[in-house]
């Protein structure tokens, strides 16, 4: 059991780290970031589903560190784009050169706004989805992982609103609150988001999974 007290959060995305650090405290374990494991390089995410990629990331980090690992694979599904960018959300604009000083997140948003130009309000529906997987060292079969998911319905804005969060947050409108994900506090976003929903499911299922 000793090794289960330290858990590695398998992500290089600092936006995810900021959102997950606090809720994962409820697991009663010490959550470590990948910064403490420089030997973990880039992991090739070649799965075709969020669950595949979450398991690939968590298993790779569990193998290298010898510790239980939790990974998140997430993305944005836009109905007018037949579900794109989906599992390719982080790499959506890899076919476009960055403008001077532009981040990859900003370039992704620029491409999305351009692709959605002219789509009427009624056709701008979208959802963020998140699958989280926890994997213990040595137990790499898919059915031995703990896998949970969450989704968040919204609408794609024609221009950016707000500066909080990361990724596509400035163009994702929560219709109930009438504000974008980037106009929310971290607590507000976690209360409604795909990642908040998934992490709460993970925390609920964790004790039985560890005991199993
Ligand atoms: P890791 O694989 O290291 O975790 P990543 O950013 O590559 O980091 P993913 O492959 O899961 O992670 O890609 C998720 C992308 O989906 C992310 O880069 C954002 O572009 C988008 N995304 C996911 N959750 C989001 C959120 O809460 N707000 C805004 N964009 C989000």
């Amino acid at each position: 059991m000793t090794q289960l007290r330290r858990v590695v959060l398998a992500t290089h995305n600092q936006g995810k780290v900021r959102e997950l650090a606090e809720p994962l405290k409820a697991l009663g374990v010490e959550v470590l970031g990948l910064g403490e494991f420089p030997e973990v390089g880039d992991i090739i995410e070649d799965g075709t589903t969020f669950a595949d990629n979450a398991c690939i990331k968590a298993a790779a980090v569990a193998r290298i560190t010898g510790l239980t690992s939790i990974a998140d694979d997430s993305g944005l599904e836009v109905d007018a784009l037949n579900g794109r960018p989906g599992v390719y959300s982080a790499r959506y604009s890899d076919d476009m050169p960055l403008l001077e000083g532009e981040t990859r997140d900003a370039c992704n948003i620029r491409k999305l706004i351009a692709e959605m130009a002219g789509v009427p309000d009624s056709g701008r529906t979208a959802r963020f989805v998140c699958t989280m997987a926890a994997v213990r060292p040595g137990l790499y079969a898919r059915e031995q992982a703990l896998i949970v998911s969450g989704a968040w319905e919204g609408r794609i804005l024609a221009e950016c609103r707000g500066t909080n969060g990361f990724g596509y947050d400035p163009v994702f409108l929560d219709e109930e609150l009438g504000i974008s994900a980037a106009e929310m506090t971290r607590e507000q976003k976690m209360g409604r988001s795909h990642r908040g929903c998934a992490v709460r499911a993970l925390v609920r299922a964790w004790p039985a999974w560890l005991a199993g």
Side-chain angles (χ1 to χ4, degrees):
M1 285 297 279
T2 318
Q3 65 184 177
L4 296 178
R5 290 201 201 115
R6 299 169 82 222
V7 169
V8 190
L9 184 52
T11 180
H12 291 289
N13 180 326
Q14 289 309 310
K16 290 182 184 177
V17 173
R18 282 192 291 275
E19 292 188 358
L20 290 171
E22 178 63 32
L24 285 178
K25 283 185 191 163
L27 299 181
V29 299
E30 184 188 0
V31 179
L32 306 170
L34 281 183
E36 305 192 34
F37 301 94
E39 63 273 30
V40 179
D42 277 345
I43 298 160
I44 296 166
E45 297 174 37
D46 53 3
T48 54
T49 66
F50 293 108
D52 285 350
N53 283 333
C55 288
I56 288 169
K57 288 188 264 190
V61 172
R63 272 182 210 281
I64 297 168
T65 63
L67 297 171
T68 295
S69 171
I70 296 173
D72 155 318
D73 199 62
S74 47
L76 180 67
E77 293 179 347
V78 180
D79 293 327
L81 304 179
N82 296 317
R84 283 189 300 119
V87 289
Y88 304 107
S89 293
R91 294 165 274 161
Y92 174 49
S93 68
D94 275 3
D95 57 336
M96 288 167 56
L98 296 175
L99 301 177
E100 203 183 324
E102 190 179 45
T103 62
R104 185 49 65 188
D105 278 352
C107 189
N108 284 340
I109 288 178
R110 182 160 61 89
K111 178 172 176 177
L112 181 61
I113 288 175
E115 276 211 272
M116 293 294 284
V119 178
D121 264 6
S122 58
R124 302 184 71 92
T125 49
R127 70 207 51 78
F128 274 127
V129 292
C130 170
T131 296
M132 296 182 73
V135 171
R136 285 167 288 189
L139 302 174
Y140 302 121
R142 178 69 164 254
E143 56 278 13
Q144 291 172 307
L146 172 59
I147 302 173
V148 293
S149 295
W152 187 17
E153 298 291 332
R155 198 173 285 266
I156 302 302
L157 290 163
E159 53 191 38
C160 290
R161 280 171 56 176
T163 54
N164 298 335
F166 68 98
Y168 299 89
D169 282 342
V171 286
F172 185 83
L173 179 73
D174 179 310
E175 293 189 277
E176 219 176 293
L177 296 189
I179 57 176
S180 81
E183 293 176 305
M184 297 181 185
T185 62
R186 191 182 304 154
E187 293 70 28
Q188 226 174 355
K189 183 182 170 191
M190 284 304 275
R192 306 185 62 77
S193 78
H194 53 317
R195 187 164 298 101
C197 175
V199 76
R200 285 188 289 278
L202 185 99
V203 168
R204 280 194 301 273
W206 185 261
W209 177 68
L210 276 191

